[in-house]
Amino acid sequence: MIVEFSTWLRYFLFRKSRKELDDEIQFHLEQLIAAKKTAGISEPEARRQALIEFGSVDAARERCEQQRPGWWAGIAAQDFRYVLRGTLHNPIYSIAVVVTLMLGIGSCSAVFTVVDKILFRPLPYGDTGRLVSVGLVAPIEPQEFMLGGSYYEWQDNQKPFVAMTSETGVEPCDLTELNAIRLDCANVENNFLPTLGVTPVVGRNFLPSEDRPNAPKVALISYALWRTRFNRDPTIAGKIIRIDGNATEIVGVLPQNFEMPRLQAADVLLPESLDVAAQRRADPGRPLWAFARLKAGVTPEQAKAQLEPLFEYSLRLAPAPFRKEVHYAVRPLRDRQFHDVHRVAWILLGLVMAVLLIACANVASLLTARGAGRQHETAVRIALGASRLRLLQVAILESLVLAATGVLAALLLAEGLLHVFVAIAPDGMPFLSAAKIDTRVLVFTLSIGLLFTFAFGLMNGLSRTPASVLTSHSRLGMRRARLRQVLVTAQIAASLVLLAGGALLTRSFWNLQRQNLGMNDENVVTATLSLGQTAYPTPERQMAFYEQLQHNLRWGPGVNALALSDSLPPGGYHHDQIFASLRIEGQPRYTSGTGGNVAWRWVTPEYFRTLNIPLIEGSGFTDNELASANRYVVISRSLAERMFPGQDSVGRQVHLASGAPADQDPPYTVVGVAGDVKNGGLAAGEEPEYYRLRRNRPEDWDRGAVVLVKSGLPAASEERWMREQVAALDPTLPIEQGTLQERIAKLADQPRFEMLLVGYFACIGLVLAIIGLYGVTSFLMVQRKPEVGIRMALGASKGDIVRMVLASAMRMVLPGTIAGLTLALGMSQTLSSVLFKVGAHDAATFCGSTMLLIAVTVVASLIPAIAATQVDPITTLRID
Amino acid sequence: MPTPTDLLQGTLDLLILQTLALEPMHGWGIAQRIQQVSCAVLQVSQGSLYPALYRLEYKGWIKSEWGNSESNRRAKFYKLTAAGRKQLEAERASWDRLSTAIGLILGNTVEVPS
């Protein structure tokens, strides 16, 4: 073994001298001649016969050389040098291929990583495919919810589920011990964890007996809380902690990856402890959110059909105005979690597939063009004795070099893109920050690279190059040229679709940013506060805190106006009620349906001045109303027009909770009409709105408030000062700060994300189409070089040649543009739901995109056209 | 007409090793010896002889050195190494196994009445 290996190594490193073999062959020949001479053949004849008998000395020499251990490596090294030289010699082709691969594979990998986290993320529950979200849907709450009055009826009588469970939401709670902290407490039914298929890592789940009103308090804590607060104490079960002042027994610890099905943050799980009997009687009952596990083999659609009778039951409970607008839904939990981002994810996946296809077509077209351009060279190599295998080897090596560079660049691009995606992604895209290029993506990228290598290597290596290339004009490749032209046409069509989509979204975003919000968001600093349950248990205490805070802030530096409200326009949370529950004193209720939603907020008098919302009628809230025992309201212009068409509204009395018992539906006096303010998010329509006054009465206050300051100072110093003032009153109080403009910008995150993504892909598509067009045009020019030479020799001017090349490029561009326009017009309809104040068939956008595309393609084909005019007719004619 | 190496890949290696097992010999001599011993049935073409010799030498089974031929001319002599001897044993054994197997099959077909 050792002897054999050392021999192998010796000959691998050092080759035998060539003379040694020559001498040996010479000796052999002499012996052969001598033998023939002995047989009586004359010397010259013997030599002749011997040489014939021996055959080609060169072939023997070559075959001997092939036996050498290092022979293969030597050949490979030689090929590699050759390929590298060829690649560097023709940089435009090589760069075009590498860039195409980089853009195609890199974008694909980055987008796949992102989409994977959204569409294909494993949920931390058992057998997640069978988990569904169940409930009613209504315009006021488009995601499924349930009501206590119906839920238990559904739970008892449902057929399609193994189990059905509920949660009643997450609220802030305080761990009132040494080093008190604010936590998020989720309230869940006792069968919540078993239904989801989750088992506590320590301790046990709630018992049914613990999920009743006035049962002893128990809690399950999150893994993170267990780790940070309790140092992973394995004997934690049975320990008593105080939550909001109540002694609570910890019965278990949740798994590390546990999350609420609606993705709320939760540190503690508490039993929801609803009074089931009371809820069954209640109308409508407490809102809650229901989840269920399907029986094996039942689809969500079947489940929905089976729940029909129960829905009928709930419908009978619903107030008459709601009946027409309430529906019900059963859908996979994953769909509910990604309600908003599902569409984005699929759009992305579609875009990236389009780009990848364009990229593949490009590379194919570039490489075959290159192969065709080198036909002459290949034919020479064959004539000099290169074997098919050797040519194939070179072709594969060449695509391997390109693919390796391309894949490497692609991975770098993907990594960079991912950072960009994470940076610009809206808050609503969960888990994006956890997205990383993982092994699957790597394998995916590498396998595309390998696939590419072999597909195109083989394609080029196996294409037959007849020796006739050397002697005549060849029509070879014209058939494949047709295919390439079709590919380029398709690319142009696809990139026009992308371009038009990108332009539409950009215009839409532009409109979104420039719209009139109905208020002035400049120099407004906000701070959101939420008082703790323990420190501020009563409305009196809450009001006292906010009164003191207002007093301390009122005359502070730079404070031009100060207001407190409980929510802020133009988007995000605000109170909502149906129009039918409003009533003008002395008039009957509105009876045809719900009448749509009406938004409302609690505000202090200076709210309108702070946000610069004009008061169109009346004087609004003043200090008189602040101290009054009566109730006052300011309504928006659209609400005034609806309730008091053509009449004065100031001074009128309205009821805001009609349908409720009389003692809960006091009259409010309208003291003003305010201008309409955008309140349904940036893109959605405006709802009519009214404002209730937070008087100096505890009943008007609760734990939460947003402090608004119209500031004359830079935002940062105003914010710091406000933070100090809050901390002076209560250092433990969490505070969330930001300017109003920052809040509004955040609302635009999702459209911005969509615009940038589609825009990015439009650019990539355009770049790839240009590369493709350029590649094919230059390829055609190589093919037609002799023809150009003849034309010029016969007196064609440079202009004629450029015109000829441009015309042939336009034969690809124009059909592509027409096809692209048709496709784009057909497909832009799918974007219409995300477009803001721009039509899906906006003429300016489509014209602009088309012009841009045509302009760019003309430039892309001008370069090879001008190169073609540099051809010296004599040289091209002499080749043949 | 098929050459011997075409008939069975690797057979030539075996023949060369066997020939060299008797005494060191030059390429010409090996070709002549094989031809003689096989009663001119096996003709080794020069085109395959020398690549085979080089292959065996690269594998370390034979060694070459320059010496004087019978006619007192400088010639390259090949000689079996220890590793080559072992290889010869192995190849002989596998050849015997193969030829026995083929013989069995051919023997069986003969017995089938036609």
Side-chain angles (χ1 to χ4, degrees):
Chain A
M1 249 351 249
I2 297 170
V3 180
E4 286 164 12
F5 178 73
S6 64
T7 321
W8 181 88
L9 192 66
R10 179 153 55 93
Y11 289 119
F12 181 81
L13 296 176
F14 309 102
R15 69 174 65 212
K16 292 177 139 202
S17 87
R18 195 183 162 118
K19 186 166 180 309
E20 206 171 305
L21 180 64
D22 286 349
D23 285 353
E24 201 175 358
I25 289 175
Q26 190 58 42
F27 171 72
H28 190 109
L29 277 173
E30 278 171 21
Q31 293 291 338
L32 200 54
I33 295 165
K36 297 227 181 266
K37 263 160 67 181
T38 323
I41 302 171
S42 69
E43 160 94 36
E45 180 59 18
R47 178 170 295 275
R48 200 181 71 87
Q49 282 187 8
L51 281 173
I52 291 172
E53 206 169 297
F54 191 90
S56 162
V57 174
D58 279 332
R61 195 182 283 137
E62 192 151 304
R63 289 182 60 188
C64 286
E65 174 63 17
Q66 280 179 13
Q67 305 302 323
R68 201 170 81 87
W71 179 76
W72 184 85
I75 292 294
Q78 195 184 11
D79 285 349
F80 186 70
R81 274 196 305 276
Y82 171 75
V83 163
L84 219 55
R85 209 162 50 226
T87 313
L88 296 179
H89 180 70
N90 215 333
I92 293 191
Y93 268 124
S94 315
I95 290 173
V97 171
V98 169
V99 166
T100 304
L101 283 176
M102 177 185 84
L103 291 178
I105 301 179
S107 319
C108 203
S109 305
V111 165
F112 178 74
T113 307
V114 169
V115 170
D116 171 60
K117 280 281 170 281
I118 297 170
L119 295 182
F120 311 116
R121 184 181 70 101
L123 302 181
Y125 310 120
D127 195 5
T128 48
R130 284 162 58 198
L131 287 177
V132 290
S133 160
V134 190
L136 306 169
V137 286
I140 201 165
E141 174 58 60
Q143 303 229 47
E144 303 87 68
F145 65 96
M146 279 304 284
L147 294 165
S150 299
Y151 172 71
Y152 295 99
E153 194 66 25
W154 287 45
Q155 195 182 35
D156 291 348
N157 298 311
Q158 56 81 14
K159 299 256 170 25
F161 306 128
V162 180
M164 194 168 168
T165 190
S166 66
E167 50 128 334
T168 56
V170 174
E171 285 170 357
C173 56
D174 292 315
L175 187 60
T176 44
E177 292 182 325
L178 212 57
N179 305 326
I181 47 170
R182 171 72 54 84
L183 298 173
D184 291 308
C185 288
N187 299 291
V188 305
E189 205 174 331
N190 63 69
N191 68 351
F192 187 69
L193 294 184
T195 306
L196 295 179
V198 173
T199 334
V201 288
V202 173
R204 60 168 175 83
N205 183 29
F206 302 129
L207 303 174
S209 61
E210 289 162 345
D211 184 17
R212 290 197 186 126
N214 308 318
K217 304 264 184 223
V218 290
L220 280 155
I221 60 171
S222 73
Y223 194 92
L225 189 64
W226 183 46
R227 194 186 59 222
T228 53
R229 183 86 183 184
F230 301 104
N231 208 12
R232 289 187 216 262
D233 177 3
T235 61
I236 186 97
K239 189 173 157 55
I240 305 291
I241 54 172
R242 297 190 80 81
I243 293 180
D244 284 336
N246 300 313
T248 308
E249 181 190 347
I250 296 177
V251 294
V253 178
L254 295 165
Q256 188 159 17
N257 60 1
F258 177 80
E259 59 195 28
M260 292 294 284
R262 290 191 296 145
L263 304 175
Q264 314 104 301
D267 304 297
V268 177
L269 251 52
L270 302 172
E272 57 191 21
S273 301
L274 293 179
D275 182 343
V276 176
Q279 288 295 329
R280 282 179 192 276
R281 286 192 306 272
D283 174 25
R286 191 176 187 331
L288 36 78
W289 290 268
F291 305 93
R293 179 171 289 280
L294 290 168
K295 285 180 181 156
V298 179
T299 66
E301 292 73 29
Q302 290 165 342
K304 185 173 178 189
Q306 292 178 27
L307 290 174
E308 177 82 41
L310 293 169
F311 173 63
E312 298 292 339
Y313 170 85
S314 299
L315 216 49
R316 281 198 296 280
L317 293 185
F322 280 107
R323 274 180 208 151
K324 267 192 223 125
E325 295 174 9
V326 175
H327 304 280
Y328 71 113
V330 177
R331 59 173 169 167
L333 187 54
R334 195 186 290 277
D335 288 4
R336 167 167 191 135
Q337 287 193 347
F338 300 106
H339 181 76
D340 299 323
V341 291
H342 234 241
R343 188 193 61 223
V344 181
W346 283 115
I347 289 181
L348 258 181
L349 213 56
L351 286 175
V352 86
M353 285 302 154
V355 165
L356 197 64
L357 279 180
I358 297 181
C360 283
N362 242 3
V363 171
S365 126
L366 279 171
L367 281 189
T368 46
R370 181 159 157 79
R374 291 204 313 208
Q375 264 180 8
H376 200 265
E377 178 191 334
T378 313
V380 170
R381 280 169 67 94
I382 290 179
L384 289 180
S387 69
R388 278 217 93 74
L389 192 70
R390 185 79 186 273
L391 286 177
L392 184 64
Q393 197 173 315
V394 170
I396 288 189
L397 201 60
E398 175 166 30
S399 35
L400 190 66
V401 166
L402 292 174
T405 322
V407 162
L408 200 69
L411 283 179
L412 292 177
L413 177 73
E415 189 67 41
L417 274 182
L418 207 55
H419 281 290
V420 176
F421 285 167
V422 171
I424 64 173
D427 282 348
M429 279 193 129
F431 309 108
L432 196 56
S433 51
K436 278 202 187 61
I437 305 232
D438 59 11
T439 337
R440 286 170 311 141
V441 177
L442 268 179
V443 168
F444 169 75
T445 319
L446 291 181
S447 38
I448 290 191
L450 277 183
L451 196 73
F452 158 81
T453 303
F454 287 104
F456 297 117
L458 286 177
M459 203 161 92
N460 261 352
L462 291 181
S463 63
R464 292 192 168 271
T465 308
S468 61
V469 171
L470 289 176
T471 55
S472 67
H473 287 292
S474 170
R475 302 291 295 167
L476 185 92
M478 280 327 241
R479 186 174 47 82
R480 279 191 286 141
R482 186 84 55 226
L483 177 68
R484 271 191 289 282
Q485 283 167 327
V486 172
L487 281 179
V488 169
T489 308
Q491 277 180 6
I492 287 173
S495 57
L496 184 57
V497 172
L498 290 176
L499 206 58
L504 279 177
L505 285 178
T506 310
R507 275 186 62 114
S508 156
F509 184 73
W510 181 246
N511 291 342
L512 207 58
Q513 292 286 290
R514 283 164 37 106
Q515 67 178 321
N516 181 9
L517 296 174
M519 61 176 178
N520 185 349
D521 56 8
E522 282 164 28
N523 305 323
V524 177
V525 181
T526 73
T528 309
L529 302 172
S530 176
L531 301 177
Q533 189 92 60
T534 327
Y536 309 91
T538 60
E540 284 78 10
R541 297 277 289 278
Q542 292 158 4
M543 183 178 84
F545 173 87
Y546 284 119
E547 298 263 271
Q548 187 63 45
L549 181 64
Q550 285 192 75
H551 181 261
N552 293 359
L553 290 177
R554 174 77 61 196
W555 309 112
V559 177
N560 294 334
L562 167 73
L564 258 66
S565 75
D566 62 341
S567 58
L568 280 176
Y573 173 79
H574 53 72
H575 300 281
D576 255 325
Q577 68 182 77
I578 57 170
F579 181 74
S581 59
L582 302 180
R583 180 170 63 89
I584 303 166
E585 176 74 44
Q587 290 188 12
R589 284 178 66 180
Y590 178 85
T591 47
S592 54
T594 59
N597 286 348
V598 176
W600 67 272
R601 313 174 199 278
W602 286 108
V603 300
T604 56
E606 271 192 65
Y607 177 82
F608 302 98
R609 201 161 73 77
T610 313
L611 293 181
N612 217 354
I613 300 170
L615 278 169
I616 297 159
E617 259 183 73
S619 50
F621 302 124
T622 63
D623 288 349
N624 292 339
E625 283 90 31
L626 213 51
S628 167
N630 294 324
R631 295 156 203 272
Y632 301 94
V633 66
V634 168
I635 60 180
S636 74
R637 181 215 291 260
S638 54
L639 187 59
E641 279 166 3
R642 185 136 182 219
M643 292 184 82
F644 309 102
Q647 308 161 31
D648 275 348
S649 36
V650 172
R652 304 284 291 266
Q653 300 240 308
V654 292
H655 292 267
L656 302 176
S658 62
D663 59 320
Q664 289 166 31
D665 185 24
Y668 286 72
T669 310
V670 177
V671 293
V673 175
D676 284 330
V677 177
K678 199 92 185 171
N679 55 15
L682 286 179
E686 294 151 40
E687 289 174 4
E689 179 165 355
Y690 68 83
Y691 306 88
R692 293 191 200 198
L693 175 63
R694 276 193 157 162
R695 297 165 300 168
N696 298 337
R697 291 172 168 271
E699 65 204 74
D700 290 353
W701 294 88
D702 60 19
R703 296 163 69 177
V706 186
V707 182
L708 292 158
V709 168
K710 183 86 174 178
S711 160
L713 292 181
S717 38
E718 192 71 58
E719 279 176 12
R720 186 168 351 101
W721 178 75
M722 283 167 73
R723 205 157 49 234
E724 284 162 11
Q725 293 302 308
V726 171
L729 286 179
D730 182 349
T732 66
L733 197 59
I735 174 167
E736 187 195 322
Q737 288 186 299
T739 66
L740 188 54
Q741 280 173 335
E742 284 164 2
R743 283 177 181 248
I744 293 172
K746 210 165 214 146
L747 290 176
D749 276 353
Q750 173 118 7
R752 183 185 297 120
F753 188 57
E754 290 170 351
M755 175 195 70
L756 287 177
L757 280 178
V758 178
Y760 169 77
F761 283 111
C763 289
I764 287 190
L766 194 62
V767 169
L768 291 182
I770 291 170
I771 293 177
L773 183 69
Y774 172 77
V776 169
T777 315
S778 0
F779 162 70
L780 287 178
M781 283 335 291
V782 173
Q783 296 271 307
R784 294 171 70 174
K785 216 171 184 177
E787 179 195 333
V788 171
I790 293 171
R791 279 176 189 270
M792 290 182 77
L794 290 180
S797 70
K798 292 194 170 184
D800 292 334
I801 301 298
V802 169
R803 253 195 304 283
M804 183 186 87
V805 179
L806 273 186
S808 70
M810 285 305 127
R811 273 199 288 281
M812 296 180 265
V813 171
L814 292 181
T817 311
I818 292 166
L821 266 181
T822 322
L823 264 178
L825 284 171
M827 287 168 68
S828 62
Q829 208 59 51
T830 56
L831 280 179
S832 58
S833 65
V834 287
L835 292 180
F836 180 71
K837 289 190 177 163
V838 50
H841 293 159
D842 184 60
T845 311
F846 276 86
C847 284
S849 317
T850 313
M851 301 304 278
L852 177 66
L853 186 78
I854 290 184
V856 167
T857 50
V858 165
V859 173
S861 43
L862 262 182
I863 299 172
I866 288 171
T869 60
Q870 309 300 317
V871 166
D872 179 1
I874 305 299
T875 345
T876 47
L877 291 177
R878 198 180 284 150
I879 285 178
D880 304 304
Chain B
M1 202 177 85
T3 60
T5 40
D6 286 335
L7 283 175
L8 260 182
Q9 192 74 44
T11 320
L12 182 59
D13 290 8
L14 174 60
L15 296 181
I16 292 172
L17 289 176
Q18 174 63 36
T19 311
L20 289 179
L22 306 174
E23 54 176 333
M25 213 171 278
H26 45 66
W28 166 255
I30 295 170
Q32 291 305 105
R33 175 65 62 85
I34 290 175
Q35 196 174 338
Q36 277 165 19
V37 173
S38 69
C39 302
V41 171
L42 298 175
Q43 300 250 4
V44 183
S45 88
Q46 292 71 14
S48 39
L49 174 67
Y50 287 97
L53 284 172
Y54 271 68
R55 181 165 62 246
L56 294 176
E57 190 176 2
Y58 287 138
K59 283 189 173 155
W61 293 336
I62 58 177
K63 247 172 37 188
S64 64
E65 53 194 31
W66 291 92
N68 284 332
S69 73
E70 309 82 33
S71 55
N72 226 1
R73 194 198 177 289
R74 235 169 71 85
K76 198 172 172 193
F77 280 79
Y78 292 92
K79 116 180 170 205
L80 211 57
T81 63
R85 208 165 287 283
K86 245 191 277 171
Q87 179 66 19
L88 175 61
E89 293 307 313
E91 287 201 13
R92 275 191 83 120
S94 94
W95 174 260
D96 285 346
R97 232 185 7 261
L98 183 68
S99 59
T100 316
I102 292 175
L104 278 174
I105 293 169
L106 296 180
N108 284 344
T109 30
V110 168
E111 278 165 30
V112 175
S114 50

